[in-house]
Amino acid sequence: IVISGKRLIVGINGVKTSDDWRVLGTKITTKLKAIKVKSATINVPKKCQAFVEGLQLGDYEFTYKSEKKKSTLKTINLVSKSNISKTVNKAITAANAQCLTRDWVNTTPEDANSDTIERAVRKMFKGTDIVVDVYGEKELKKLNMNGHLAVNRASRHKAKTIKLTYTPKNFKKHIVAVGKGLTYDSGGLSIKPGNHMTTMKSDKAGAMTVWGLMKYLSKNGSKNKVTVYMGIAENMIDGSAYKPDDVLTMKNGKTVHVKNTDAEGRLVLFDNLCLAQDENKKIDALYSLATLTGAEVYQFGEEAAGLVGFNDKMKKVIQKAGDKAGEIFMDAAFHKYMMDAVDDDLADLSNTGTPNMGCQKAGLFLTKAITKKNKKKFTHIDIAGPAYTKKAWGYNPVGGTGFGVRTLIELVSM
Ligand code: BES
Ligand code: ZN
Ligand code: ZN
């Protein structure tokens, strides 16, 4: 690194994996900002994507403080013996897409509601290759998305599904992803205790992650067609709130016995997974991304996501993409005694199982929205742990992490 003409050697002894490079990048940017450097020049090798991502991610700031600290760091010049412009471009675009997700996860439930999100999405993709379609409450009703609507019923904001499509010429595969976008999860009538309710502005992370992916595609494209659905709702309480004991008829006709209104994400995702399959007849891979269960956090911790589904090969592909992106995905496997865990005595399904293996059971519930044809194309990704962090770790500051964006980019680039 060169700062004001002075050459600084950075020791890279412990730096081995590409993710180590990413973390180092963030450490360097953080340090440069802390010592109030205006500009620096860094000599980088040809394979510099992870490092440059780290540099850019390290520049992330988000605050509601009335007095904002201004960063003095204006530029980092990258020099190399090789031609790195394409790699650098990709890295910066990926990091910026991830930071969009961080921003919206961090935004308060009042500032990030279904209207402000719709407006921001429309503004971002105006004049780009991304097509925006929004389904309001009238459309959701017509489509029989009664699970999604029930969850949002006590909110003063409107339920919405935002659909984004990227269609390149002569595409080979069509990849579809559905994101949980709970702008707030109070638990509803099955209300969360106070200390569990705090941070539930992050319950929109799944939807914000697929939005981040589309931001990347609007700049850098992909050879595959990609369609994402953001299922936006707010789980609140008033006289019209949906109730434990309700039975809902979902988009595909299945009936769901509501046992706990805090298991709302699976209801929103269920209907949106039905919609995604109805609208797209040929799907090569179908993902759902959601901060779906507290159980996922217990099972896999704050750093890793859980994978649920009937296709082990597909899970391995996601894990490999995760390795490349520096994100960890653990297998939340089924076993045969679990297969009736979301069956109900009154209706077809119950929205809760017994608490054990809650991550798998929530995923199992989602598979009931999947048609036979798509059974092996579907994997659910529970990001409840890694989407939001109360302590800084790796290249993540406190708050929304943007976890999943870079792995999705890898997945749609294959
Ligand atoms: N949004 C929560 C899951 C969550 C918890 C995400 C903690 C991130 C951190 C979800 O809607 C929820 O409340 N799930 C319940 C389900 C239960 C009632 C079956 C849970 O996990 O406790
Ligand atoms: Zn909940
Ligand atoms: Zn939730």
Side-chain angles (χ1 to χ4, degrees):
I1 305 184
V2 181
I3 303 167
S4 322
K6 286 205 184 88
R7 188 181 282 264
L8 221 108
I9 313 269
V10 178
I12 52 168
N13 264 346
V15 180
K16 296 211 165 64
T17 65
S18 72
D19 206 47
D20 294 341
W21 280 99
R22 202 174 278 111
V23 176
L24 178 69
T26 290
K27 279 193 180 149
I28 288 175
T29 308
T30 310
K31 187 77 190 170
L32 292 175
K33 289 197 321 198
I35 59 175
K36 299 210 174 352
V37 167
K38 283 205 190 86
S39 91
T41 301
I42 305 181
N43 209 325
V44 295
K46 188 169 194 279
K47 277 194 178 172
C48 61
Q49 187 178 333
F51 179 64
V52 176
E53 283 170 2
L55 287 174
Q56 185 73 359
L57 289 172
D59 198 33
Y60 184 75
E61 272 167 37
F62 188 92
T63 183
Y64 273 94
K65 284 193 190 297
S66 56
E67 270 182 51
K68 297 203 169 50
K69 280 187 273 165
K70 268 214 186 105
S71 169
T72 51
L73 184 62
K74 289 278 174 314
T75 49
I76 295 178
N77 300 304
L78 300 174
V79 292
S80 178
K81 284 186 212 125
S82 327
N83 183 358
I84 53 165
S85 64
K86 223 176 153 186
T87 307
V88 170
N89 198 22
K90 210 179 148 196
I92 300 285
T93 311
N96 285 344
Q98 182 175 349
C99 290
L100 168 87
T101 302
R102 285 179 175 181
D103 272 342
W104 281 92
V105 170
N106 287 330
T107 300
T108 64
E110 281 305 290
D111 290 347
N113 58 59
S114 64
D115 282 328
T116 58
I117 291 170
E118 175 184 351
R119 242 177 280 142
V121 167
R122 286 193 189 279
K123 191 170 163 208
M124 172 171 291
F125 295 125
K126 207 171 166 189
T128 72
D129 293 340
I130 310 293
V131 177
V132 180
D133 293 294
V134 178
Y135 303 86
E137 291 200 338
K138 235 170 67 201
E139 286 86 13
L140 297 181
K141 220 167 259 161
K142 239 202 208 141
L143 289 162
N144 276 319
M145 292 170 66
N146 301 311
H148 186 161
L149 285 165
V151 168
N152 192 72
R153 217 158 57 204
S155 170
R156 58 189 227 286
H157 303 292
K158 298 275 187 270
K160 270 179 198 166
T161 288
I162 303 175
K163 174 187 179 187
L164 307 173
T165 312
Y166 171 75
T167 314
K169 283 198 191 96
N170 308 318
F171 64 88
K172 290 217 172 67
K173 287 189 288 185
H174 184 192
I175 294 156
V176 180
V178 178
K180 170 179 173 181
L182 264 287
T183 57
Y184 203 66
D185 181 11
S186 70
L189 286 174
S190 314
I191 193 166
K192 285 182 185 293
N195 59 334
H196 285 258
M197 203 185 295
T198 330
T199 73
M200 277 304 131
K201 66 174 183 180
S202 68
D203 213 21
K204 54 181 154 6
M208 301 306 113
T209 307
V210 299
W211 180 10
L213 167 68
M214 296 314 268
K215 177 175 177 173
Y216 175 87
L217 293 182
S218 74
K219 310 263 184 210
N220 260 21
S222 147
K223 59 184 180 197
N224 299 312
K225 177 173 177 177
V226 181
T227 307
V228 305
Y229 292 81
M230 301 163 62
I232 311 290
E234 188 185 40
N235 191 16
M236 296 295 286
I237 300 174
D238 72 8
S240 68
Y242 86 124
K243 296 173 276 290
D245 286 356
D246 276 345
V247 173
L248 308 169
T249 303
M250 310 298 277
K251 177 158 173 37
N252 65 357
K254 291 220 163 93
T255 53
V256 176
H257 190 179
V258 177
K259 295 275 184 74
N260 188 318
T261 61
D262 198 10
E264 84 299 335
R266 63 196 76 183
L267 300 172
V268 174
L269 281 178
F270 192 105
D271 276 342
N272 283 277
L273 282 165
C274 292
L275 178 67
Q277 294 171 97
D278 282 352
E279 290 191 336
N280 305 286
K281 290 301 166 210
K282 187 190 163 284
I283 298 177
D284 295 286
L286 175 60
Y287 305 100
S288 56
L289 283 108
T291 47
L292 203 60
T293 62
E296 195 279 330
V297 194
Y298 284 112
Q299 214 165 330
F300 301 115
E302 276 217 302
E303 293 86 7
L307 299 177
V308 193
F310 289 108
N311 186 340
D312 290 335
K313 246 202 207 141
M314 189 175 173
K315 290 185 193 168
K316 292 232 165 70
V317 171
I318 298 168
Q319 286 171 323
K320 260 219 173 112
D323 286 343
K324 267 190 155 176
E327 295 180 324
I328 306 171
F329 296 82
M330 310 278 281
D331 185 4
F334 291 138
H335 60 64
K336 64 176 181 179
Y337 295 109
M338 204 189 280
M339 287 301 112
D340 60 357
V342 294
D343 292 356
D344 188 67
D345 42 14
L346 178 66
D348 297 333
L349 299 168
S350 153
N351 79 329
T352 63
T354 44
N356 302 337
M357 308 198 91
C359 175
Q360 281 91 328
K361 284 171 190 172
L364 180 66
F365 181 89
L366 297 180
T367 67
K368 308 290 181 182
I370 306 300
T371 61
K372 242 197 196 135
K373 177 174 100 179
N374 288 326
K375 191 173 169 189
K376 295 268 182 178
K377 310 267 157 124
F378 172 67
T379 302
H380 163 62
I381 308 177
D382 193 335
I383 57 171
Y388 191 90
T389 180
K390 290 179 195 163
K391 58 162 208 289
W393 63 275
Y395 41 80
N396 299 301
V398 171
T401 60
F403 178 96
V405 173
R406 293 198 322 274
T407 297
L408 284 180
I409 291 172
E410 291 293 336
L411 285 169
V412 303
S413 306
M414 294 192 320

